[in-house]
Amino acid sequence: MKCLVSRHTVRETLGTVFQRMSVEGVIKCKAAVLWEQKQPFSIEEIEVAPPKTKEVRIKILATGICRTDDHVIKGTMVSKFPVIVGHEATGIVESTGEGVTTVQPGDKVIPLFLPQCRECNACRNPDGNLCIRSDITGRGVLADGTTRFTCKGKPVYHFMNTSTFTEYTVVDESSVAKIDDAAPPEKVCLIGCGFSTGYGAAVKTGKVKPGSTCVVFGLGGVGLSVIMGCKSAGASRIIGIDLNKDKFEKAMAVGATECISPKESTKPISEVLSEMTGNNVGYTFEVIGHLETMIDALASCHMNYGTSVVVGAPPSAKMLTYDPMLLFTGRTWKGCVFGGLKSRDDVPKLVTEFLAKKFDLDQLITHVLPFKKINEGFELLNSGQSIRTVLTF
């Protein structure tokens, strides 16, 4: 005889179990700790303290490996050590601190590296999203100035309000979004960073118009997501650019109409694109984070009405030099964090759109590995073999 249990019953049961677990206070679990720069991750047993007021403790189900995490390893992004990085994940709320009203134990959630407090100027402005509670300077602590992680008696720092390379994490309530229970965690975790950053850059920041011509510099996971956003917005021509021609097939599969390598011509890429399109590139997107390509992308959009969007995170402590005539003639140059999306508002909507098959995240996921193989996942990233590797627990 089959036993039929509703999703709500399962959720209520999970909530009860998690509430019982929270009575124990500190949770001991496995995490990938980065003790210092340019070293591999070390799988350690850590202690995760219970959530304080307005905080949420989350059991991580799946987490993606993003280039931003690698920036910490290589030292191109500021961080305190030891640290637990990772910022693209799906999980279940294990327990909540006092005053939390938007989620409860058992809820499926996505942690948000870009918070949305809904109170600061950026959150209250309809065009803003860079919440004042964001940690892009490497503070490594939660709102009260302390960490919830310890390992071998030492405090371990948080990363970008999230820290998802661990079985359990603690985040501020402003850094978590409740999502549909039906969402597959190993897929929708990409909505926590890579997909949303690219997709939003096209539809929200760039505001791509139907029938336009778009050019995307860099065909990694975020670049492919930009292409998907341009296609969703109705662009009639989407040109992908990358030095690695092996990436062209996947770019075409997600919506690019053609792909080129800058190595194919001795002319500046802006001239090549002008000739290809009859000088009609409306939008360009730099999704690499190189200063030279930012200038190339700016020069490649139409000199009068073109818009160029900086999507790739630039290297820290570097200055950019460019010809101001590139802007004087009328071009618009914009940047964006998380695609300009308001995290707590827009992430649940994107999950719903995914479930309605408005876009396909399978195209972006090339590898799924158990959490303990995290170092192998980063090897795949650095060798160019993966677009997105997802770690499951």
Side-chain angles (χ1 to χ4, degrees):
M1 182 177 177
K2 291 183 178 177
C3 178
L4 300 178
V5 182
S6 74
R7 191 193 313 160
H8 296 292
T9 304
V10 171
R11 187 168 162 276
E12 285 164 11
T13 304
L14 276 171
T16 304
V17 170
F18 284 151
Q19 280 172 333
R20 270 197 234 111
M21 287 171 62
S22 67
V23 174
E24 299 171 9
V26 174
I27 287 178
K28 290 185 177 181
C29 69
K30 296 294 184 184
V33 177
L34 203 57
W35 290 99
E36 54 185 302
Q37 289 178 11
K38 300 175 183 175
Q39 294 295 319
F41 290 94
S42 178
I43 303 295
E44 307 276 7
E45 182 177 82
I46 66 164
E47 294 81 43
V48 183
K52 295 184 180 181
T53 301
K54 303 291 280 183
E55 292 178 359
V56 180
R57 188 159 60 182
I58 301 168
K59 176 180 172 58
I60 300 295
L61 301 176
T63 181
I65 291 177
C66 176
R67 180 69 66 179
T68 303
D69 302 311
D70 193 55
H71 290 334
V72 177
I73 300 172
K74 290 186 167 60
T76 56
M77 187 169 186
V78 178
S79 176
K80 293 177 181 176
F81 291 89
V83 63
I84 296 172
V85 294
H87 61 283
E88 182 181 83
T90 312
I92 293 178
V93 174
E94 176 270 327
S95 59
T96 58
E98 269 186 60
V100 172
T101 59
T102 57
V103 295
Q104 61 184 346
D107 283 346
K108 188 173 284 185
V109 294
I110 289 180
L112 306 168
F113 77 86
L114 186 70
Q116 185 184 353
C117 71
R118 297 181 172 145
E119 297 168 358
C120 69
N121 289 340
C123 285
R124 293 172 67 180
N125 188 299
D127 296 323
N129 78 330
L130 191 56
C131 178
I132 196 170
R133 295 189 186 179
S134 304
D135 182 12
I136 55 176
T137 57
R139 291 193 313 271
V141 291
L142 296 185
D144 74 340
T146 64
T147 172
R148 302 293 165 269
F149 303 127
T150 54
C151 181
K152 299 177 181 177
K154 298 178 181 178
V156 178
Y157 291 100
H158 295 251
F159 177 66
M160 293 181 74
N161 305 97
T162 47
S163 292
T164 61
F165 291 164
T166 170
E167 291 176 321
Y168 288 86
T169 190
V170 178
V171 302
D172 292 307
E173 184 182 15
S174 58
S175 293
V176 64
K178 180 183 175 182
I179 61 170
D180 194 308
D181 282 343
E186 73 284 357
K187 295 181 183 180
V188 298
C189 60
L190 272 64
I191 293 174
C193 179
F195 174 76
S196 302
T197 295
Y199 192 84
V203 301
K204 181 74 182 285
T205 303
K207 295 181 171 58
V208 170
K209 294 178 181 176
S212 59
T213 295
C214 301
V215 178
V216 180
F217 290 75
L219 302 178
V222 179
L224 295 178
S225 301
V226 173
I227 291 173
M228 293 164 76
C230 292
K231 182 181 179 181
S232 175
S236 59
R237 194 171 182 184
I238 305 169
I239 303 169
I241 298 180
D242 203 292
L243 294 172
N244 184 356
K245 292 185 178 182
D246 292 341
K247 296 182 178 181
F248 292 178
E249 183 179 354
K250 181 70 76 171
M252 299 286 284
V254 301
T257 53
E258 59 220 285
C259 294
I260 60 173
S261 167
K263 292 189 290 190
E264 292 174 354
S265 174
T266 56
K267 295 180 181 178
I269 192 65
S270 57
E271 286 185 26
V272 173
L273 290 165
S274 180
E275 291 171 5
M276 282 177 66
T277 63
N279 192 29
N280 192 32
V281 175
Y283 305 88
T284 61
F285 300 86
E286 201 280 352
V287 204
I288 304 167
H290 290 172
L291 302 185
E292 298 80 7
T293 12
M294 291 176 187
I295 301 298
D296 286 341
L298 178 62
S300 296
C301 68
H302 192 276
M303 66 184 296
N304 180 233
Y305 57 77
T307 295
S308 187
V309 182
V310 175
V311 188
S316 58
K318 297 287 185 183
M319 300 299 289
L320 188 63
T321 302
Y322 67 96
D323 181 354
M325 284 300 292
L326 288 171
L327 293 178
F328 179 74
T329 55
R331 289 181 180 90
T332 300
W333 203 7
K334 307 177 79 173
C336 62
V337 176
F338 200 56
L341 301 173
K342 289 186 179 291
S343 57
R344 282 209 279 174
D345 293 343
D346 291 329
V347 161
K349 293 175 187 175
L350 286 174
V351 170
T352 300
E353 289 177 6
F354 166 75
L355 292 172
K357 295 182 167 48
K358 186 172 179 180
F359 49 83
D360 181 12
L361 294 173
D362 285 339
Q363 299 276 11
L364 305 177
I365 301 168
T366 51
H367 300 79
V368 178
L369 297 174
F371 176 62
K372 65 183 179 181
K373 292 191 176 181
I374 184 169
N375 286 311
E376 184 180 322
F378 274 84
E379 288 168 11
L380 290 167
L381 173 73
N382 288 312
S383 63
Q385 296 176 64
S386 67
I387 295 174
R388 255 310 184 271
T389 294
V390 174
L391 304 172
T392 56
F393 293 80

